[in-house]
Amino acid sequence: MTARILDGAAVAAGIRARVAGRVAELATQGVVPRLEVILVGDDPASRVYVGSKARACLEVGVRSSTQSLPAATTGEELAARIEALNGDPDVDGILLQLPLPPPLDGRRFLDLIDPGKDVDGFHPRNVGLLQQGRPAFVPCTPGGVMELLDASGVVLQGAHAVVVGRSDIVGKPMAALLLQRHATVTVCHSRTRDLPGVCRLADVLVAAVGRAALVGGEHVNPGAVVVDVGVNRVEDAALVERLFPGDEGRRAQLAKRGYTLVGDVDFTAASRVASAITPVPGGIGPLTIAGLLLNTVRAARQRRGLPC
Ligand code: GUN
């Protein structure tokens, strides 16, 4: 079997067009949604993500700016920034880019964000609402995965979904969303016994562990839908050759940049067994940003009492 490629970039383009339409409609009422991003420190990957988010906002007409703070920012300074944005009536959405440099503890600061401006859906209030199946800001990556599964016609009701990874950002909210849609959900993690055996129970397998190519062909139930949320930098030429044998594009990328991006799934092996699979890059990444745009427009409408 050779799996169908689930084109996240194409689905994300459709969502961006939808968001642009909603932004244009809001503009007729004098409302231009505004997102403020806080970036602390100089993590290169975070810088790239934040840049992509800002560009995407610009494209659909959402105002956005990034407050870059030095790695030595104190907890009091960061808390003051968040409080100022909470109190600014012109700000609709606040995104605190994670991870924070030590010793700053992400959870402590996420708790300070006004839940009505929490476009990441990480505030405990939004986490609780999501668990109860009530309207809430849905974390952007799992929200994007659901958009892709729906756009691809994947039936979730009654299906067995296995989520590999139990992070607050992806694994846990992913499980909640799949459960809401009447899937039978199993969540796996580093201490799961017989991970390949549990994964092989899946009709829909979502990998979100942050370990390059952890999920191989032996983890995939023949005909399953495989969603790869991982984005890992791989610098080891031998590993790249094993994962993408004879792939000139990957070799060239490695030579040029010193790394290539690999998901949590061994794409070559898994795509021989799955019925459908997301690539890395071009799979879930663009949908995460689309999810953020949806949430930002939602925040702008909600704050003004407009239907969402
Ligand atoms: N770091 C990695 N993913 C995310 C995300 O979705 N939101 C935020 N704020 N930080 C991240």
Side-chain angles (χ1 to χ4, degrees), residues 46 49 53 95-99 110 120 122 140-141 169 288:
S46 289
Y49 291 142
K53 289 169 185 176
L95 185 146
L96 176 61
Q97 184 65 28
L98 301 175
L110 292 173
D120 255 329
F122 293 163
C140 305
T141 300
I169 294 182
T288 294

PDB file of all heavy atoms in Angstrom, residues 46 49 53 95-99 110 120 122 140-141 169 288, ligand 1:
ATOM      1  N   SER A  46      12.036  29.111  18.081  1.00  0.00           N
ATOM      2  CA  SER A  46      10.920  29.985  18.488  1.00  0.00           C
ATOM      3  C   SER A  46      10.887  31.233  17.614  1.00  0.00           C
ATOM      4  O   SER A  46       9.810  31.712  17.229  1.00  0.00           O
ATOM      5  CB  SER A  46      11.075  30.400  19.952  1.00  0.00           C
ATOM      6  OG  SER A  46      10.833  29.303  20.798  1.00  0.00           O
ATOM      7  N   TYR A  49       9.263  30.317  14.380  1.00  0.00           N
ATOM      8  CA  TYR A  49       7.809  30.133  14.532  1.00  0.00           C
ATOM      9  C   TYR A  49       7.098  31.481  14.648  1.00  0.00           C
ATOM     10  O   TYR A  49       6.069  31.716  14.027  1.00  0.00           O
ATOM     11  CB  TYR A  49       7.481  29.307  15.785  1.00  0.00           C
ATOM     12  CG  TYR A  49       7.884  27.854  15.702  1.00  0.00           C
ATOM     13  CD1 TYR A  49       8.404  27.197  16.816  1.00  0.00           C
ATOM     14  CD2 TYR A  49       7.732  27.124  14.533  1.00  0.00           C
ATOM     15  CE1 TYR A  49       8.771  25.856  16.758  1.00  0.00           C
ATOM     16  CE2 TYR A  49       8.105  25.790  14.473  1.00  0.00           C
ATOM     17  CZ  TYR A  49       8.622  25.170  15.582  1.00  0.00           C
ATOM     18  OH  TYR A  49       8.988  23.850  15.531  1.00  0.00           O
ATOM     19  N   LYS A  53       4.201  33.207  12.292  1.00  0.00           N
ATOM     20  CA  LYS A  53       2.900  33.621  12.817  1.00  0.00           C
ATOM     21  C   LYS A  53       2.618  35.065  12.415  1.00  0.00           C
ATOM     22  O   LYS A  53       1.509  35.405  11.988  1.00  0.00           O
ATOM     23  CB  LYS A  53       2.870  33.474  14.345  1.00  0.00           C
ATOM     24  CG  LYS A  53       2.830  32.014  14.802  1.00  0.00           C
ATOM     25  CD  LYS A  53       3.070  31.841  16.302  1.00  0.00           C
ATOM     26  CE  LYS A  53       3.152  30.366  16.666  1.00  0.00           C
ATOM     27  NZ  LYS A  53       3.469  30.101  18.075  1.00  0.00           N
ATOM     28  N   LEU A  95      -0.198  35.865  22.854  1.00  0.00           N
ATOM     29  CA  LEU A  95       0.480  34.565  22.710  1.00  0.00           C
ATOM     30  C   LEU A  95       1.858  34.667  23.341  1.00  0.00           C
ATOM     31  O   LEU A  95       2.661  35.520  22.950  1.00  0.00           O
ATOM     32  CB  LEU A  95       0.588  34.206  21.225  1.00  0.00           C
ATOM     33  CG  LEU A  95       1.164  32.816  20.917  1.00  0.00           C
ATOM     34  CD1 LEU A  95       0.519  32.237  19.673  1.00  0.00           C
ATOM     35  CD2 LEU A  95       2.677  32.850  20.751  1.00  0.00           C
ATOM     36  N   LEU A  96       2.080  33.852  24.353  1.00  0.00           N
ATOM     37  CA  LEU A  96       3.392  33.781  24.999  1.00  0.00           C
ATOM     38  C   LEU A  96       4.122  32.581  24.398  1.00  0.00           C
ATOM     39  O   LEU A  96       3.720  31.430  24.626  1.00  0.00           O
ATOM     40  CB  LEU A  96       3.209  33.596  26.512  1.00  0.00           C
ATOM     41  CG  LEU A  96       4.487  33.405  27.330  1.00  0.00           C
ATOM     42  CD1 LEU A  96       5.401  34.625  27.219  1.00  0.00           C
ATOM     43  CD2 LEU A  96       4.142  33.121  28.789  1.00  0.00           C
ATOM     44  N   GLN A  97       5.150  32.854  23.595  1.00  0.00           N
ATOM     45  CA  GLN A  97       5.837  31.755  22.906  1.00  0.00           C
ATOM     46  C   GLN A  97       6.596  30.888  23.899  1.00  0.00           C
ATOM     47  O   GLN A  97       7.322  31.392  24.751  1.00  0.00           O
ATOM     48  CB  GLN A  97       6.786  32.329  21.835  1.00  0.00           C
ATOM     49  CG  GLN A  97       7.482  31.289  20.980  1.00  0.00           C
ATOM     50  CD  GLN A  97       6.525  30.479  20.095  1.00  0.00           C
ATOM     51  OE1 GLN A  97       5.469  30.955  19.716  1.00  0.00           O
ATOM     52  NE2 GLN A  97       6.884  29.250  19.792  1.00  0.00           N
ATOM     53  N   LEU A  98       6.433  29.590  23.784  1.00  0.00           N
ATOM     54  CA  LEU A  98       7.100  28.621  24.645  1.00  0.00           C
ATOM     55  C   LEU A  98       8.182  27.892  23.853  1.00  0.00           C
ATOM     56  O   LEU A  98       8.063  27.784  22.641  1.00  0.00           O
ATOM     57  CB  LEU A  98       6.079  27.619  25.179  1.00  0.00           C
ATOM     58  CG  LEU A  98       4.917  28.214  25.986  1.00  0.00           C
ATOM     59  CD1 LEU A  98       3.926  27.117  26.336  1.00  0.00           C
ATOM     60  CD2 LEU A  98       5.419  28.910  27.242  1.00  0.00           C
ATOM     61  N   PRO A  99       9.218  27.385  24.442  1.00  0.00           N
ATOM     62  CA  PRO A  99       9.485  27.398  25.873  1.00  0.00           C
ATOM     63  C   PRO A  99      10.076  28.726  26.325  1.00  0.00           C
ATOM     64  O   PRO A  99      10.658  29.461  25.519  1.00  0.00           O
ATOM     65  CB  PRO A  99      10.527  26.281  26.019  1.00  0.00           C
ATOM     66  CG  PRO A  99      11.265  26.277  24.712  1.00  0.00           C
ATOM     67  CD  PRO A  99      10.248  26.661  23.674  1.00  0.00           C
ATOM     68  N   LEU A 110       1.393  31.543  31.806  1.00  0.00           N
ATOM     69  CA  LEU A 110       0.178  31.248  31.030  1.00  0.00           C
ATOM     70  C   LEU A 110      -1.053  31.485  31.905  1.00  0.00           C
ATOM     71  O   LEU A 110      -2.086  31.954  31.438  1.00  0.00           O
ATOM     72  CB  LEU A 110       0.189  29.797  30.534  1.00  0.00           C
ATOM     73  CG  LEU A 110       1.257  29.473  29.485  1.00  0.00           C
ATOM     74  CD1 LEU A 110       1.280  27.977  29.193  1.00  0.00           C
ATOM     75  CD2 LEU A 110       1.040  30.253  28.194  1.00  0.00           C
ATOM     76  N   ASP A 120      -3.973  30.757  22.474  1.00  0.00           N
ATOM     77  CA  ASP A 120      -3.312  29.450  22.466  1.00  0.00           C
ATOM     78  C   ASP A 120      -4.183  28.381  23.128  1.00  0.00           C
ATOM     79  O   ASP A 120      -3.927  27.187  22.969  1.00  0.00           O
ATOM     80  CB  ASP A 120      -1.997  29.531  23.270  1.00  0.00           C
ATOM     81  CG  ASP A 120      -0.779  29.548  22.369  1.00  0.00           C
ATOM     82  OD1 ASP A 120      -0.836  28.947  21.278  1.00  0.00           O
ATOM     83  OD2 ASP A 120       0.235  30.146  22.771  1.00  0.00           O
ATOM     84  N   PHE A 122      -4.253  27.772  26.334  1.00  0.00           N
ATOM     85  CA  PHE A 122      -3.442  27.100  27.365  1.00  0.00           C
ATOM     86  C   PHE A 122      -3.824  27.489  28.789  1.00  0.00           C
ATOM     87  O   PHE A 122      -3.327  26.916  29.745  1.00  0.00           O
ATOM     88  CB  PHE A 122      -1.951  27.424  27.175  1.00  0.00           C
ATOM     89  CG  PHE A 122      -1.341  26.853  25.918  1.00  0.00           C
ATOM     90  CD1 PHE A 122      -0.135  27.348  25.437  1.00  0.00           C
ATOM     91  CD2 PHE A 122      -1.956  25.820  25.227  1.00  0.00           C
ATOM     92  CE1 PHE A 122       0.445  26.821  24.288  1.00  0.00           C
ATOM     93  CE2 PHE A 122      -1.385  25.288  24.068  1.00  0.00           C
ATOM     94  CZ  PHE A 122      -0.180  25.792  23.609  1.00  0.00           C
ATOM     95  N   CYS A 140      -3.857  25.474  19.158  1.00  0.00           N
ATOM     96  CA  CYS A 140      -3.792  25.632  17.698  1.00  0.00           C
ATOM     97  C   CYS A 140      -3.403  24.353  16.956  1.00  0.00           C
ATOM     98  O   CYS A 140      -3.971  24.057  15.902  1.00  0.00           O
ATOM     99  CB  CYS A 140      -2.812  26.753  17.355  1.00  0.00           C
ATOM    100  SG  CYS A 140      -3.225  28.284  18.178  1.00  0.00           S
ATOM    101  N   THR A 141      -2.449  23.587  17.482  1.00  0.00           N
ATOM    102  CA  THR A 141      -2.013  22.400  16.733  1.00  0.00           C
ATOM    103  C   THR A 141      -3.085  21.315  16.710  1.00  0.00           C
ATOM    104  O   THR A 141      -3.464  20.850  15.626  1.00  0.00           O
ATOM    105  CB  THR A 141      -0.668  21.876  17.289  1.00  0.00           C
ATOM    106  OG1 THR A 141       0.299  22.921  17.158  1.00  0.00           O
ATOM    107  CG2 THR A 141      -0.203  20.650  16.540  1.00  0.00           C
ATOM    108  N   ILE A 169       0.393  20.929  25.319  1.00  0.00           N
ATOM    109  CA  ILE A 169       0.222  21.685  24.070  1.00  0.00           C
ATOM    110  C   ILE A 169      -0.476  20.848  22.999  1.00  0.00           C
ATOM    111  O   ILE A 169      -1.319  21.352  22.254  1.00  0.00           O
ATOM    112  CB  ILE A 169       1.602  22.184  23.554  1.00  0.00           C
ATOM    113  CG1 ILE A 169       2.180  23.213  24.525  1.00  0.00           C
ATOM    114  CG2 ILE A 169       1.502  22.751  22.156  1.00  0.00           C
ATOM    115  CD1 ILE A 169       3.520  23.800  24.088  1.00  0.00           C
ATOM    116  N   THR A 288      -1.190  24.655  12.249  1.00  0.00           N
ATOM    117  CA  THR A 288      -1.045  25.259  13.578  1.00  0.00           C
ATOM    118  C   THR A 288      -1.236  26.771  13.462  1.00  0.00           C
ATOM    119  O   THR A 288      -1.946  27.395  14.260  1.00  0.00           O
ATOM    120  CB  THR A 288       0.359  24.956  14.143  1.00  0.00           C
ATOM    121  OG1 THR A 288       0.447  23.544  14.369  1.00  0.00           O
ATOM    122  CG2 THR A 288       0.621  25.685  15.434  1.00  0.00           C
TER     123      THR A 288
HETATM  124  N1  GUN B   1       5.850  26.480  21.284  1.00  0.00           N
HETATM  125  C1  GUN B   1       5.660  25.407  20.495  1.00  0.00           C
HETATM  126  N2  GUN B   1       4.375  25.329  20.083  1.00  0.00           N
HETATM  127  C2  GUN B   1       3.744  26.379  20.634  1.00  0.00           C
HETATM  128  C3  GUN B   1       2.394  26.840  20.565  1.00  0.00           C
HETATM  129  O1  GUN B   1       1.513  26.261  19.927  1.00  0.00           O
HETATM  130  N3  GUN B   1       2.148  27.986  21.259  1.00  0.00           N
HETATM  131  C4  GUN B   1       3.096  28.631  21.977  1.00  0.00           C
HETATM  132  N4  GUN B   1       2.747  29.725  22.636  1.00  0.00           N
HETATM  133  N5  GUN B   1       4.345  28.225  22.054  1.00  0.00           N
HETATM  134  C5  GUN B   1       4.666  27.109  21.379  1.00  0.00           C
END
